[in-house]
Amino acid sequence: MFIGLQRYQQEYGSPYKLCFGPKSFLVISDPVQAKHVLRDANTLYDKGILAEILKPIMGKGLIPADPETWSVRRRAIVPAFHKAWLNHMVGLFGYCNEGFITNLEKAAAKNDA
């Protein structure tokens, strides 16, 4: 699915309209557009079916939250996106997956043989 969405983005740019049956979605990938939709003009856009689907799962989490709830919760999670913390977590992720990658390489080598 993501490859298909990537092809649409490459062909049509950002934003583009994506339709699934009677529903249509505005798909954005440009950081400036995302900032506009999520921060500068968040009351002008409806989160639509995504919020409806996620609300039973996430409650009033970041995606289905109303603007007031979103603002409070966003401030609470900002430290988790600090560059130093993200660098640490990416390194940890790589370290924890070294054995898995080795096993994948062995399995691939067996399939090539």
Side-chain angles (χ1 to χ4, degrees), residues 62 67-81:
L62 280 176
E68 295 79 25
T69 304
W70 180 87
S71 180
V72 171
R73 292 187 178 171
R74 183 183 179 278
R75 280 193 294 273
I77 67 165
V78 165
F81 293 97

Side-chain angles (χ1 to χ4, degrees), residues 4-22:
L5 293 176
Q6 182 182 24
R7 286 186 190 139
Y8 281 137
Q9 193 279 330
Q10 289 169 345
E11 184 171 343
Y12 301 112
S14 179
Y16 64 88
K17 184 178 180 180
L18 183 64
C19 298
F20 285 117

Side-chain angles (χ1 to χ4, degrees), residues 40-57:
D40 301 336
N42 62 22
T43 59
L44 302 177
Y45 297 93
D46 182 5
K47 295 180 183 179
I49 194 164
L50 179 61
E52 293 172 32
I53 292 168
L54 292 176
K55 194 166 187 174
I57 299 166

Side-chain angles (χ1 to χ4, degrees), residues 4-111:
L5 293 176
Q6 182 182 24
R7 286 186 190 139
Y8 281 137
Q9 193 279 330
Q10 289 169 345
E11 184 171 343
Y12 301 112
S14 179
Y16 64 88
K17 184 178 180 180
L18 183 64
C19 298
F20 285 117
K23 300 283 185 176
S24 63
F25 305 89
L26 180 66
V27 179
I28 59 172
S29 59
D30 181 87
V32 174
Q33 294 169 352
K35 178 182 174 187
H36 170 76
V37 170
L38 296 173
R39 192 175 81 181
D40 301 336
N42 62 22
T43 59
L44 302 177
Y45 297 93
D46 182 5
K47 295 180 183 179
I49 194 164
L50 179 61
E52 293 172 32
I53 292 168
L54 292 176
K55 194 166 187 174
I57 299 166
M58 296 178 65
K60 286 178 72 173
L62 280 176
I63 294 173
D66 56 83
E68 295 79 25
T69 304
W70 180 87
S71 180
V72 171
R73 292 187 178 171
R74 183 183 179 278
R75 280 193 294 273
I77 67 165
V78 165
F81 293 97
H82 188 279
K83 186 175 181 177
W85 177 249
L86 290 175
N87 285 339
H88 168 74
M89 293 306 293
V90 168
L92 183 60
F93 181 82
Y95 171 76
C96 290
N97 283 288
E98 286 176 358
F100 176 64
I101 292 168
T102 301
N103 289 339
L104 284 176
E105 288 170 344
K106 288 177 185 175
K110 284 181 184 177
N111 285 339

